[in-house]
């Protein structure tokens, strides 16, 4: 009995000695949240389905957090949109949330292309943007811009099938009443779809583009 106890004590001592100084397991790196590893929420799946039904060409993007309140969550990269009978090209557009992409798709088809046909007599070919996602604050404030979450798009101009390029900065107060009417029509059409729309009528910071923003608790159009 005494010998058995002694052997047991020796085994425990040996086991404990073997643990002293043993290297710790390396810490696990945090996994990045992506659409490949976490299933989209039902509302995100519905948004993607709606965007697909609009016949837009797009690629879903992994969720990304950049710090300082900046992120691209539930975002897509748009390749082109659809009008009633053709593709609508996009230039300089970065990641946008699926909600912003769907809203842009409806505006481009029903607001911009049809206005171009009816007012200017030529279909829309391309929407020329000045970007979407940008980790920054609203100019002159400390409040984060909707661009910091890919919920805003800046549009600088439009290319028509007849070769005309309508530029917001140059043409907002154009000598042509048709061009002025077109730009204000697409601005007003955007106000019916987006939560916030800002034009050259708002302030000098928007003299060269239309700011189109989804979200918010109340709409603002100027």
């Amino acid at each position: 009995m005494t010998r058995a106890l002694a052997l047991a004590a020796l085994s425990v001592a040996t086991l404990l000695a073997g643990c002293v100084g043993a290297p710790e397991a390396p810490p696990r790196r945090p996994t990045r949240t992506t659409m490949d590893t976490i299933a989209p929420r039902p509302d995100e799946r519905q948004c993607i389905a709606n965007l697909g039904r609009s016949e837009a060409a797009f690629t879903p993007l992994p969720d990304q957090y950049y710090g300082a309140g900046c992120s691209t969550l539930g975002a897509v990269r748009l390749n082109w949109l659809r009008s009633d009978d053709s593709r609508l090209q996009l230039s300089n557009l970065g990641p946008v949330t699926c909600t912003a992409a769907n809203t842009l798709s409806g505006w481009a088809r029903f607001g911009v292309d049809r206005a171009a046909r009816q007012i200017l007599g030529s279909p829309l070919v391309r929407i020329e943007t000045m970007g979407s996602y940008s980790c920054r604050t609203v100019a002159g404030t400390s409040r984060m811009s909707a661009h910091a979450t890919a919920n805003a798009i800046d549009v600088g101009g439009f290319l028509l099938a007849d070769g005309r390029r309508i530029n917001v900065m140059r043409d907002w107060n154009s000598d042509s009443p048709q061009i002025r009417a077109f730009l204000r029509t697409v601005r007003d059409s955007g106000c019916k779809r987006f939560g916030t729309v800002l034009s050259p009528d708002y302030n000098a910071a928007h003299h060269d583009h239309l700011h189109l923003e989804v979200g918010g608790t109340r709409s603002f159009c100027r």
Side-chain angles (χ1 to χ4, degrees), residues 122-164:
S122 180
L124 178 69
V125 171
R126 182 172 69 228
I127 295 177
E128 299 178 335
T129 85
M130 299 169 67
S132 49
Y133 171 76
S134 177
C135 187
R136 60 180 174 84
T137 59
V138 175
T141 76
S142 59
R143 181 167 56 89
M144 294 306 295
S145 167
H147 287 287
T149 51
N151 278 305
I153 302 161
D154 289 340
V155 172
F158 309 91
L159 179 65
L160 306 185
D162 63 8
R164 280 180 291 172

Side-chain angles (χ1 to χ4, degrees), residues 2-199:
T2 302
R3 179 178 176 79
L5 289 173
L7 289 174
L10 179 61
S11 297
V12 171
T14 302
L15 180 61
L16 291 174
C19 292
V20 176
E24 296 181 359
R28 295 181 64 185
R29 294 182 178 179
T31 56
R32 175 171 290 175
T33 301
T34 69
M35 294 185 70
D36 295 329
T37 59
I38 296 180
R41 299 189 310 269
D43 59 326
E44 292 176 342
R45 291 197 299 270
Q46 185 62 52
C47 184
I48 291 293
N50 291 341
L51 191 57
R53 281 193 288 272
S54 76
E55 299 183 57
F58 63 95
T59 304
L61 299 174
D63 286 349
Q64 298 278 5
Y65 294 88
Y66 300 99
C70 300
S71 62
T72 51
L73 308 180
V76 301
R77 185 173 296 280
L78 285 169
N79 298 317
W80 68 76
L81 302 173
R82 288 286 302 184
S83 67
D84 291 335
D85 54 17
S86 64
R87 293 180 181 178
L88 300 176
Q89 302 170 11
L90 299 162
S91 64
N92 303 317
L93 187 64
V96 292
T97 61
C98 181
T99 300
N102 263 311
T103 308
L104 181 69
S105 175
W107 178 69
R109 181 171 186 171
F110 302 112
V112 184
D113 179 56
R114 292 187 181 180
R117 294 169 187 256
Q118 293 169 10
I119 299 173
L120 299 177
S122 180
L124 178 69
V125 171
R126 182 172 69 228
I127 295 177
E128 299 178 335
T129 85
M130 299 169 67
S132 49
Y133 171 76
S134 177
C135 187
R136 60 180 174 84
T137 59
V138 175
T141 76
S142 59
R143 181 167 56 89
M144 294 306 295
S145 167
H147 287 287
T149 51
N151 278 305
I153 302 161
D154 289 340
V155 172
F158 309 91
L159 179 65
L160 306 185
D162 63 8
R164 280 180 291 172
R165 178 174 279 104
I166 310 301
N167 180 274
V168 173
M169 179 173 65
R170 183 191 64 223
D171 296 322
W172 188 255
N173 293 311
S174 170
D175 292 336
S176 166
Q178 289 80 19
I179 291 176
R180 293 199 309 272
F182 167 73
L183 286 173
R184 282 154 182 79
T185 297
V186 300
R187 188 267 311 273
D188 295 345
S189 175
C191 294
K192 297 176 182 178
R193 294 173 169 83
F194 292 90
T196 297
V197 176
L198 305 177
S199 74

Side-chain angles (χ1 to χ4, degrees), residues 196-221:
T196 297
V197 176
L198 305 177
S199 74
D201 285 345
Y202 179 58
N203 63 15
H206 297 83
H207 72 285
D208 59 353
H209 68 278
L210 301 176
H211 171 89
L212 309 173
E213 176 182 332
V214 294
T217 56
R218 59 180 182 176
S219 61
F220 185 83
C221 177

